[in-house]
Amino acid sequence: TSAVDLRVVQAMLPYFTQHYGNAASRNHSFGWAAEAAVENARNQIAKLLGGDGKEIVLTSGATESNNLALKGAASFLKKQGNHIITVETEHKSVLDTCKRLQREGFEVTYLRPAKDGLVTPEQVVAAMTDKTILVSVMAANNEIGVVQDVNAIGAAIKAKNPKTLFHMDA
């Protein structure tokens, strides 16, 4: 829903026109070149975040990423609890995934933002229970332009229960 940064376009052009192999095809040079480029990108992202390239999962977009994160976390942490918190104005992929998880037995609290579109750390913490395993709050809403204070929300979640995961579509 936004223009691609021209630096990204320039960096990607060779992979659209000259080096267009499938990174998963490991039995020919086109695949090897594509795999090397993907691994390089993964390592660059990890360096920016202070992590390891093996920790970076690349997806095709927000819907796939949000599904993977929410369903994966919920499945992994199901023995610890079944409560998830999100915001009514979240991205559709988060809301749809939460509805799916509800059908699978998870409880979901949908926080109503104030008239300015914001939720407060206090709202999030007040909604947390001893069964809360995951909180999902979009950093910047692409439709209404609201930017949540995810640093304060994350700190509040950690203070209340350091084991509760905080997911954000950033």
Side-chain angles (χ1 to χ4, degrees), residues 87 90 111 113 116-125 135-141 145-158 166-170:
V87 183
E90 257 299 332
L111 298 176
D116 60 5
L118 297 173
V119 294
T120 65
E122 294 78 18
Q123 273 181 282
V124 174
V125 169
V135 176
S136 182
V137 177
M138 175 187 270
N141 189 300
V146 170
V147 178
Q148 300 288 349
D149 188 351
V150 292
N151 289 330
I153 292 169
I157 292 166
K158 187 173 184 174
F166 181 33
H167 166 262
M168 76 181 83
D169 182 345

Side-chain angles (χ1 to χ4, degrees), residues 24-67:
S25 297
R26 296 182 170 172
N27 56 350
H28 53 72
S29 62
F30 295 110
W32 301 330
E35 181 181 27
V38 169
E39 288 308 310
N40 182 51
R42 193 184 316 272
N43 288 325
Q44 288 175 325
I45 294 166
K47 185 177 178 184
L48 284 171
L49 298 173
D52 184 291
K54 293 179 178 105
E55 298 172 304
I56 304 300
V57 177
L58 301 173
T59 65
S60 65
T63 297
E64 183 181 356
S65 297
N66 288 331
N67 270 281

Side-chain angles (χ1 to χ4, degrees), residues 7-160:
R7 295 169 294 180
V8 174
V9 171
Q10 289 299 316
M12 288 301 300
L13 275 177
Y15 302 101
F16 294 136
T17 58
Q18 299 165 348
H19 309 290
Y20 44 82
N22 180 342
S25 297
R26 296 182 170 172
N27 56 350
H28 53 72
S29 62
F30 295 110
W32 301 330
E35 181 181 27
V38 169
E39 288 308 310
N40 182 51
R42 193 184 316 272
N43 288 325
Q44 288 175 325
I45 294 166
K47 185 177 178 184
L48 284 171
L49 298 173
D52 184 291
K54 293 179 178 105
E55 298 172 304
I56 304 300
V57 177
L58 301 173
T59 65
S60 65
T63 297
E64 183 181 356
S65 297
N66 288 331
N67 270 281
L68 180 66
L70 296 174
K71 289 177 183 174
S75 176
F76 185 75
L77 297 172
K78 194 171 190 174
K79 290 181 181 176
Q80 294 176 4
N82 70 338
H83 183 235
I84 298 166
I85 299 170
T86 192
V87 183
E88 290 178 351
T89 54
E90 257 299 332
H91 189 275
K92 185 176 181 340
S93 64
V94 169
L95 295 174
D96 287 349
T97 300
C98 285
K99 289 176 189 172
R100 168 69 183 261
L101 290 169
Q102 281 182 286
R103 289 192 302 272
E104 294 176 11
F106 288 87
E107 293 181 27
V108 180
T109 298
Y110 297 90
L111 298 176
R112 179 167 296 224
K115 289 186 182 202
D116 60 5
L118 297 173
V119 294
T120 65
E122 294 78 18
Q123 273 181 282
V124 174
V125 169
M128 290 176 69
T129 72
D130 61 340
K131 301 283 187 196
T132 305
I133 55 171
L134 178 65
V135 176
S136 182
V137 177
M138 175 187 270
N141 189 300
N142 60 309
E143 294 186 14
I144 61 175
V146 170
V147 178
Q148 300 288 349
D149 188 351
V150 292
N151 289 330
I153 292 169
I157 292 166
K158 187 173 184 174
K160 173 89 177 203

